[in-house]
Amino acid sequence: GDSVTQMEGPVTLSEEAFLTINCTYTATGYPSLFWYVQYPGEGLQLLLKATKADDKGSNKGFEATYRKETTSFHLEKGSVQVSDSAVYFCALNSGGSNYKLTFGKGTLLTVNP
Amino acid sequence: NAGVTQTPKFQVLKTGQSMTLQCAQDMNHNSMYWYRQDPGMGLRLIYYSASEGTTDKGEVPNGYNVSRLNKREFSLRLESAAPSQTSVYFCASSDQRGRNEQFFGPGTRLTVL
């Protein structure tokens, strides 16, 4: 079945540091890949997505590239801010008749001033 | 345009009590979903409705029932609440099978004593 593995947190960084959160997946077919962000006390918001191999999703300075050969979709940001403190979820949908999003367990990021 | 709304925001139940969580979306989406979020587990799909008039089980349907009342509304019912159902519940919607973005509500925090 489909599965998503992302690096366990928590991750603590200083402001302006470089961020990488690793995500690898197992899926049938050709999945779409997503990063969602959850700020404290809120629901999930889509951060970025990629629907085919070699696509790069980007938003708010975050980037992730769909790497089919390594089944990965790592999230990166060059310079984090305190306001980026949140939980980040990697997710996939393997398409076809499958409506389900499969989520990783989430990575808590804390950015200190 | 409110997006996805959920009521109530918080609820405390005693074991054996019943309740219904309400969800509505104003984006004219066909598909709606109920997830639960537990620490260290990511989000797990309880039930989904691919379109008005249809519902299907997700990963963890036991102890829950759902009703797709119309295109806008999708409710989740706990007939006899158990402490294991203490969780944060999220409703989501999308306009197509999950290859497109799912939009999430703010969540309902449920405690079963």
Side-chain angles (χ1 to χ4, degrees), chain A residues 69-105:
Chain A
E69 64 276 14
T70 54
T71 61
S72 65
F73 193 54
H74 304 321
L75 182 68
E76 297 182 336
K77 186 175 186 183
S79 177
V80 293
Q81 305 299 313
V82 172
S83 57
D84 294 325
S85 298
V87 181
Y88 293 82
F89 292 93
C90 186
L92 71 83
N93 174 273
S94 55
S97 60
N98 184 1
Y99 286 76
K100 178 175 172 288
L101 269 181
T102 300
F103 285 89
K105 293 184 178 180

Side-chain angles (χ1 to χ4, degrees), chain B residues 16-36:
Chain B
Q17 288 185 316
S18 63
M19 79 162 294
T20 299
L21 282 65
Q22 306 287 354
C23 173
Q25 53 91 9
D26 62 1
M27 295 174 282
N28 202 35
H29 286 166
N30 287 319
S31 304
M32 298 185 73
Y33 313 81
W34 276 106
Y35 294 89
R36 59 177 290 172

Side-chain angles (χ1 to χ4, degrees), chain A residues 30-32 34 36 38 43-44 46 51 89 93-96 99-101 103-105, chain B residues 31 33 35 37 40 42-43 45 48 50 59 90 97-102 104-106:
Chain A
Y30 301 93
S32 291
F34 305 85
Y36 279 84
Q38 183 179 31
L44 279 71
L46 180 70
T51 57
F89 292 93
N93 174 273
S94 55
Y99 286 76
K100 178 175 172 288
L101 269 181
F103 285 89
K105 293 184 178 180
Chain B
S31 304
Y33 313 81
Y35 294 89
Q37 182 180 28
L43 276 78
L45 184 66
Y48 67 96
E59 286 179 81
F90 289 100
R97 300 170 182 177
R99 296 189 79 79
N100 282 351
E101 175 182 359
Q102 290 188 17
F104 284 79

Side-chain angles (χ1 to χ4, degrees), chain A residues 53-71:
Chain A
D54 300 325
D55 268 2
K56 179 186 281 188
S58 61
N59 186 25
K60 299 182 181 179
F62 291 89
E63 294 183 338
T65 301
Y66 188 141
R67 301 283 188 204
K68 195 170 190 315
E69 64 276 14
T70 54
T71 61

